[in-house]
Amino acid sequence: MSVPTIERIQSNPKFLAMVEAKRKFSWTLAIIMLAIYCAFILVIGFKKEIFGAPLGPDTVITWGIPVGIAVILSAFVLTGIYVRRANTEFDRLTREVIEEAQQ
Amino acid sequence: MKRLSLVLASLAAATPLWAADAVGGEVAKRSLNIHAIVMFFIFVAATLFITYWAAKRTRSAKDFYAAGGGITGFQNGLAIAGDYMSAASFLGISALVYGSGYDGLIYSIGFLVGWPIITFLVAERLRNLGKYTFADVASYRLQQAPVRTFAAVGTLVTVALYLIAQMVGAGKLIQLLFGMEYSTAVVLVGILMVLYVLFGGMLATTWVQIIKAVLLLSGASFMAFMVLSLSGFNLETMFGKAIEAHPKHAAIMSPGGLVSNPIDAISLGIGLMFGTAGLPHILMRFFTVADAKEARKSVFYATGFIGYFYILTFIIGFGAIMLVLNQPQYTEMIMKDGKEVASLIGGNNMAAIHLSHAVGGDLFLGFISAVAFATILAVVSGLTLSGASAVSHDLYASVWRHGRSNETDEIRVSKMATVFLGIVAILLGIAFEKQNIAYMVGLAFSIAASANFPVLFMSMFWKGLTTRGAVLGGLFGLIIAIVLIVLGPTVWVDVLKNKEAIFAYKNPALFSMTAAFFFTWLFSVTDNSESAHKERAAFLPQFIRSMTGVGAEGASKH
């Protein structure tokens, strides 16, 4: 990549906006995922009777089971949300930035 | 504290990766399992055919190391999931659920949550900056020789530990399932993995992994389906029967002793999460796809498959409690502490295998046994290729020949390295047969999280990183991780038979990874050399390439 291209990309406000949006988006999702996992572990570490309690009076299924499955699903869903936005919006902006730099 | 170490010690005997030997301790040889052997030979024949097909398509270095960059996101997602769903994790996690119920789920969640983080922060930058190995990325704007040497050491140490664990596990598992001699099994695994890598390169290695992932997911789905259907598709019935059968009764429905110490649990979580992002044989898979878009898709599919697989193992574990526990044909009497107690034949790690017999008879037992063997083969092939790439691409081509070697020589060196690694793996597998290797994969993950990951992460995210910071910081991480594991309960108490551990926690990653980041920072900011200034200035072009993919390696066309 030549130096003028780098400078053009770097000074393109669209690029800066895309980088900023992507940074915010990916770190927000990463922190949500970490927060979910840490909360899960901390409940187990300090207050595990919450997860040990049955869902209702006539069931043996405890709260821990749907919560655990939900953590697994959240990992999948969060990844999906990221990939969807990155593969459409961010990739489109990136393409535009590259095209503008090469003109 | 004492209770914790007891819990963790019993965990070590049952957990998937930590006790990477799928079947710990002495195992008795079983009679020959004909169905399993026939199905295994079908698998071997099919994979050797794929290797032959791949060999015709593997000409350039890019073909050998990265399957020409032509794997799709979906295929790569399956391959990544396959790397993760090792025999140890299939048998180990279902055994953990079988033994203690809910705790198995906690453990598998720890394995899963690293994947979203990799997607958000690492996957596309890695794809845009790298070519064949993660050292390409770490050394992108730094001095090639020192950084690549460090990365190659990190890779080889991780790969060697992981390989020993897999080889020993393979030997014992095959001995148990197929009635083969331990050493024969280890030699067979070694020869097959060398054949795949030597002739088929990354293309064959990837397809072997994909096929195995599909077989394992189908087999596990069938087992889970049968368990659900035998409980009338009513979860209440399934859990109810399991509670009735299990000696711990209702306690299997709630968290038990696994996370009695939150610090150790968080440290374990960090080791799993960031260790995954520092495992060289996983990272190299990001270079087999065409671009950043496909790299993102790969992790999305991989996360889906892995999550689904863990839900299946949870059902399988409960199914085994319901259908295998207390059944005379799966139980034997063993002597324990001078008393005769009932135990699962082959130990708890065989829970899923016995369940396959309970729901599908001899034929399905043969299928699942063959899949377990195939799983080991696929994982060790990836490890071997990753180690060989570090030798040929990083050490030979970049450090020794200063990037002036030609492709033919580089491929020749990588093939020699493959054969060499195969021989070493066989010898180590035999040498470690009677050793306690429970700590080895834990150590591999801790080193990946404390040496490889910090350097890789800082090189992509922090402008201030210099060669000195990367090499010294990474080395500190490596050494601290090893020292803390040796002084901790897993080696100091369980292997060296001392009474009290010097370092209280079993999982060092929280401390060793933090230290690695700190020293990387410290040795970088105090670096005022001329080259350090140049390296900081080179961050901007690197950043732009990592964000846009301009100048990134594309797929080869042929």
Side-chain angles (χ1 to χ4, degrees), chain A residues 1 6 10 19 22 26 29-30 33-34 37 44 48 52 59-60 62 64-65 68 76 79-80 82 86-87 91 94 98, chain B residues 102 106 109-110 112-113 119-120 124 236 239 253-256 259 262 269 273 293 296 300 304 540-541 543 548 550:
Chain A
M1 186 165 44
I6 293 176
Q10 185 214 352
V19 166
K22 201 191 238 175
S26 48
L29 290 175
M33 188 72 251
L34 283 173
Y37 180 63
I44 292 166
K48 63 181 172 194
T59 175
V60 291
T62 51
I65 288 171
F76 182 61
T79 313
Y82 176 79
N87 277 3
D91 271 4
T94 306
I98 296 171
Chain B
Y102 189 77
I106 305 176
I109 287 173
L112 184 69
V113 291
T119 323
F120 307 148
E124 58 193 85
E236 205 66 49
F239 288 125
M253 299 299 286
S254 54
V259 194
M273 211 181 282
K293 185 180 227 146
R296 292 186 203 108
F300 172 62
L540 183 65
F543 177 71
T548 61
V550 172

Side-chain angles (χ1 to χ4, degrees), chain A residues 34, chain B residues 114 117-118 121-122 268-279 445 448-450 452-454 457 509 513 517:
Chain A
L34 283 173
Chain B
I117 310 284
I118 293 180
L121 303 177
V122 181
L268 171 71
I270 284 184
L272 293 177
M273 211 181 282
F274 300 111
T276 306
L279 287 177
F445 261 78
S450 317
N452 306 352
F453 174 71
F457 187 83
M513 190 180 91
F517 273 111

Side-chain angles (χ1 to χ4, degrees), chain B residues 38-389:
Chain B
V38 169
M39 275 185 255
F40 177 68
F41 274 104
I42 296 173
F43 174 82
V44 169
T47 49
L48 286 176
F49 178 76
I50 286 173
T51 308
Y52 169 75
W53 164 83
K56 289 194 294 186
R57 277 160 188 76
T58 299
R59 291 184 206 100
S60 64
K62 189 171 177 65
D63 294 334
F64 183 79
Y65 292 124
I71 303 288
T72 67
F74 181 77
Q75 293 163 347
N76 198 38
L78 267 175
I80 291 175
D83 275 330
Y84 225 54
M85 302 181 295
S86 61
S89 106
F90 173 55
L91 301 178
I93 292 184
S94 48
L96 194 55
V97 177
Y98 172 81
S100 34
Y102 189 77
D103 281 357
L105 188 65
I106 305 176
Y107 207 85
S108 49
I109 287 173
F111 277 99
L112 184 69
V113 291
W115 285 103
I117 310 284
I118 293 180
T119 323
F120 307 148
L121 303 177
V122 181
E124 58 193 85
R125 292 178 191 237
L126 197 69
R127 178 62 194 81
N128 281 338
L129 293 173
K131 203 174 170 192
Y132 305 141
T133 62
F134 88 88
D136 291 335
V137 183
S139 69
Y140 189 86
R141 67 193 152 95
L142 305 180
Q143 289 169 42
Q144 295 294 306
V147 177
R148 281 196 193 261
T149 308
F150 160 74
V153 170
T155 300
L156 290 170
V157 172
T158 323
V159 164
L161 291 167
Y162 220 108
L163 255 182
I164 293 175
Q166 294 286 333
M167 289 307 257
V168 175
K172 294 196 172 152
L173 185 69
I174 293 164
Q175 195 176 3
L176 195 74
L177 294 180
F178 291 75
M180 223 183 257
E181 285 294 330
Y182 176 88
S183 50
T184 319
V186 167
V187 172
L188 186 67
V189 169
I191 290 175
L192 283 170
M193 79 182 187
V194 168
L195 288 179
Y196 296 148
V197 176
L198 194 61
F199 297 106
M202 189 55 157
L203 191 56
T205 307
T206 304
W207 277 102
V208 169
Q209 193 61 272
I210 292 174
I211 293 175
K212 160 242 146 162
V214 171
L215 290 175
L216 182 56
L217 284 170
S218 329
S221 298
F222 175 74
M223 274 160 81
F225 175 82
M226 289 306 285
V227 168
L228 292 175
S229 105
L230 289 169
S231 3
F233 294 101
N234 184 341
L235 288 178
E236 205 66 49
T237 318
M238 181 183 90
F239 288 125
K241 278 188 187 164
I243 292 172
E244 212 172 287
H246 203 282
K248 292 179 188 160
H249 298 296
I252 56 172
M253 299 299 286
S254 54
L258 178 59
V259 194
S260 37
N261 182 325
I263 294 190
D264 223 345
I266 296 278
S267 192
L268 171 71
I270 284 184
L272 293 177
M273 211 181 282
F274 300 111
T276 306
L279 287 177
H281 69 291
I282 301 256
L283 293 173
M284 73 177 179
R285 294 222 174 268
F286 289 98
F287 309 124
T288 63
V289 292
D291 51 26
K293 185 180 227 146
E294 294 299 315
R296 292 186 203 108
K297 278 194 208 161
S298 334
V299 226
F300 172 62
Y301 290 122
T303 311
F305 288 127
I306 296 168
Y308 171 65
F309 175 73
Y310 286 148
I311 293 176
L312 293 180
T313 48
F314 188 62
I315 300 174
I316 290 171
F318 271 94
I321 300 176
M322 191 172 91
L323 300 166
V324 171
L325 186 69
N326 304 331
Q327 302 299 315
Q329 79 247 50
Y330 305 120
T331 311
E332 62 185 357
M333 301 307 282
I334 55 162
M335 293 302 283
K336 200 175 175 186
D337 304 328
K339 272 183 291 183
E340 204 169 55
V341 286
S343 159
L344 209 54
I345 295 174
N348 272 4
N349 282 306
M350 289 294 112
I353 303 281
H354 291 313
L355 180 67
S356 71
H357 184 261
V359 301
D362 285 341
L363 194 67
F364 190 63
L365 168 73
F367 176 77
I368 288 292
S369 306
V371 168
F373 194 172
T375 294
I376 293 172
L377 268 182
V379 172
V380 291
S381 308
L383 287 166
T384 308
L385 180 57
S386 164
S389 310

